[in-house]
């Protein structure tokens, strides 16, 4: 029980530290979101007065001339109330709505692609590691080469081959804009068609790392005493592979998968930009470009919660399945 209490306490402190950094980092950037909004207003022929500036500062969550500690307290209060402020980039849309419209796209795209890359990579790594030194090992450099290729370059190649040359898939967008978003079969089919190339990019770029990691763990696990004992008992190779070797070799991959799953919320910025996909990545890039404090903080908050939550679940899961973890904690 002490193990679980300590873990939860650690993640509570980590959450507080993340919230504090989330508040400070955007404010260290040059520029002011109020000035950006007022500049846009002037470009449209509006008149800027001191009353206008005061109104915009209140709208964006307070007076930037207030002491930093007062802004920090207001920020924490608003976060726990679920009020993430107004987005400058998509003014006057609240940050909650901006994130709410783009988060499902990223979760579906990057989430499914991450799960597929992990399952395929771990399965192939277990098979390759079970028979090291065979012709299967020659597949490893090919997959790791894909992992070394920049995302945008791989994405552009897929666009050129499958969209421009073969015309099999659309090159940009998340769905056919002529359709009404919903749970209809036509819209879901369109979303799958538009999301295939971005998902394929993520899978091809990620599968090599999972394969290499699992392969190396399998080679290390095969030299353990319990594998030799299982072989001496006359157990079938398939049973040894599934119940002894792969089961123990996959433990580090579980931790890596939890971290990857946590970063699903952040999306893949480069991939989403290349394919003009309506996910979190494009929103994060727009927020940084426009010094949109509220949107940046909202996105970082969701990313932080996802990563901390995924790691907490894995730590607690490890404590349940491996008593040695609790003993050394």
């Amino acid at each position: 029980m002490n193990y679980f209490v300590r873990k939860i306490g650690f993640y509570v402190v980590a959450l507080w530290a993340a919230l504090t950094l989330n508040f400070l980092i955007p404010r260290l950037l040059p520029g002011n979101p109020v000035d950006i909004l007022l500049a846009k207003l002037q470009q449209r022929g509006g008149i800027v007065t001191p009353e206008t500036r005061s109104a915009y500062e209140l709208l964006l969550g307070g007076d930037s001339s207030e002491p930093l500690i007062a802004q920090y307290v207001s920020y924490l209060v608003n976060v726990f109330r679920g009020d993430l402020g107004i987005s400058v980039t998509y003014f006057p849309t609240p940050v909650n709505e901006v994130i709410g419209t783009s988060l499902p796209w990223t979760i579906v795209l990057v989430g499914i692609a991450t799960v597929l890359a992990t399952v395929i990579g771990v399965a192939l790594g277990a098979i390759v590691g079970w028979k090291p030194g065979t012709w299967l090992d020659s597949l490893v450099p090919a997959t790791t080469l894909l992992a070394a290729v920049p995302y945008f370059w791989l994405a552009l190649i897929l666009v050129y081959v499958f969209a421009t040359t073969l015309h099999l898939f659309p090159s940009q967008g998340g769905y056919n804009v002529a359709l009404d978003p919903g749970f209809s079969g036509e819209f879901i089919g369109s979303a799958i068609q538009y999301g295939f190339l971005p998902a394929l990019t993520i899978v091809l770029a990620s599968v090599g790392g999972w394969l290499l990691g699992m392969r190396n763990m399998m080679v290390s696990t095969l030299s353990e005493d319990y594998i030799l004992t299982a072989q001496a008992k006359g157990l079938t190779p398939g049973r040894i592979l599934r119940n002894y070797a792969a089961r123990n070799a996959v433990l580090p991959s579980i931790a890596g998968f939890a971290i990857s799953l946590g970063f699903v919320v952040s999306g893949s910025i480069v991939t989403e930009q290349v394919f003009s996909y309506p996910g979190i990545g494009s929103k994060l890039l727009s927020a940084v470009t426009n010094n949109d404090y509220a949107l940046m903080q909202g996105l970082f908050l969701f990313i932080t919660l996802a990563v901390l939550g995924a790691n907490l679940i894995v730590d607690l899961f490890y404590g349940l399945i491996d008593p040695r973890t609790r003993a050394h904690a």
Side-chain angles (χ1 to χ4, degrees):
M1 181 58 68
N2 289 335
Y3 168 82
F4 298 107
V5 172
R6 285 197 299 268
K7 284 296 180 182
I8 294 174
F10 169 79
Y11 280 101
V12 169
V13 174
L15 176 60
W16 169 78
L19 287 173
T20 303
L21 291 175
N22 192 22
F23 169 80
L24 291 174
I25 291 176
R27 283 164 174 77
L28 297 177
L29 298 176
N32 188 309
V34 176
D35 293 336
I36 295 173
L37 268 183
L38 293 177
K40 291 181 179 180
L41 180 63
Q42 286 180 319
Q43 290 174 357
R44 297 172 184 171
I47 300 175
V48 177
T49 63
E51 291 77 13
T52 306
R53 170 176 287 276
S54 177
Y56 273 84
E57 287 178 341
L58 291 174
L59 184 63
L60 295 178
D63 188 354
S64 58
S65 63
E66 290 181 346
L68 196 62
I69 187 64
Q71 296 182 45
Y72 176 64
V73 173
S74 299
Y75 164 72
L76 291 180
V77 171
N78 289 333
V79 165
F80 285 105
R81 286 170 46 196
D83 181 9
L84 301 180
I86 304 295
S87 171
V88 172
T89 309
Y90 302 95
F91 183 82
T93 308
V95 170
N96 289 337
E97 292 186 16
V98 176
I99 296 177
T101 57
S102 54
L103 186 60
W105 292 96
T106 294
I107 290 177
V108 172
L109 170 66
V110 187
I112 293 177
T114 301
V115 171
L116 287 176
T118 304
V119 172
I120 294 172
V122 168
L124 291 178
I127 295 173
V128 173
W130 180 246
K131 297 291 184 181
T134 63
W135 65 271
L136 290 173
D137 263 347
S138 61
L139 298 176
V140 177
T143 56
T144 52
L145 176 64
L146 290 175
V149 173
Y151 266 39
F152 72 91
W153 193 76
L154 182 60
L156 291 174
I157 291 178
L158 294 178
V159 168
Y160 175 76
V161 174
F162 292 101
T164 305
T165 304
L166 300 178
H167 303 286
L168 295 177
F169 300 98
S171 61
Q172 292 185 331
Y175 62 95
N176 188 346
V177 295
L179 301 176
D180 293 327
F183 290 99
S184 64
E186 188 177 9
F187 175 78
I188 294 175
S190 174
I192 293 174
Q193 185 181 23
Y194 276 79
F196 181 83
L197 287 183
L200 182 61
T201 301
I202 298 172
V203 170
L204 291 179
S206 305
V207 70
W210 294 109
L211 190 155
L212 182 61
M214 184 62 181
R215 183 261 180 199
N216 292 339
M217 284 303 303
M218 281 290 295
V219 173
S220 176
T221 302
L222 290 178
S223 62
E224 296 290 340
D225 292 338
Y226 55 83
I227 299 294
L228 298 177
T229 303
Q231 292 173 342
K233 289 181 177 180
L235 299 180
T236 62
R239 185 176 179 184
I240 297 174
L241 170 62
R242 292 189 305 270
N243 297 348
Y244 292 86
R247 184 175 181 179
N248 288 278
V250 79
L251 289 176
S253 296
I254 293 177
F257 175 71
I259 296 174
S260 300
L261 208 57
F263 279 108
V264 162
V265 177
S266 66
S268 179
I269 298 176
V270 175
T271 302
E272 291 184 2
Q273 283 297 110
V274 172
F275 293 99
S276 298
Y277 197 79
I280 288 293
S282 58
K283 299 296 188 296
L284 181 58
L285 184 62
S286 299
V288 174
T289 303
N290 294 293
N291 289 333
D292 191 343
Y293 288 175
L295 185 54
M296 274 192 284
Q297 290 174 334
L299 292 171
F300 292 155
L301 176 62
F302 272 82
I303 295 170
T304 300
L305 290 175
V307 174
L308 290 178
N311 281 275
L312 175 60
I313 292 173
V314 169
D315 276 347
L316 297 179
F317 182 67
Y318 258 101
L320 291 175
I321 65 174
D322 191 351
R324 295 172 299 176
T325 306
R326 298 195 300 270
H328 295 290

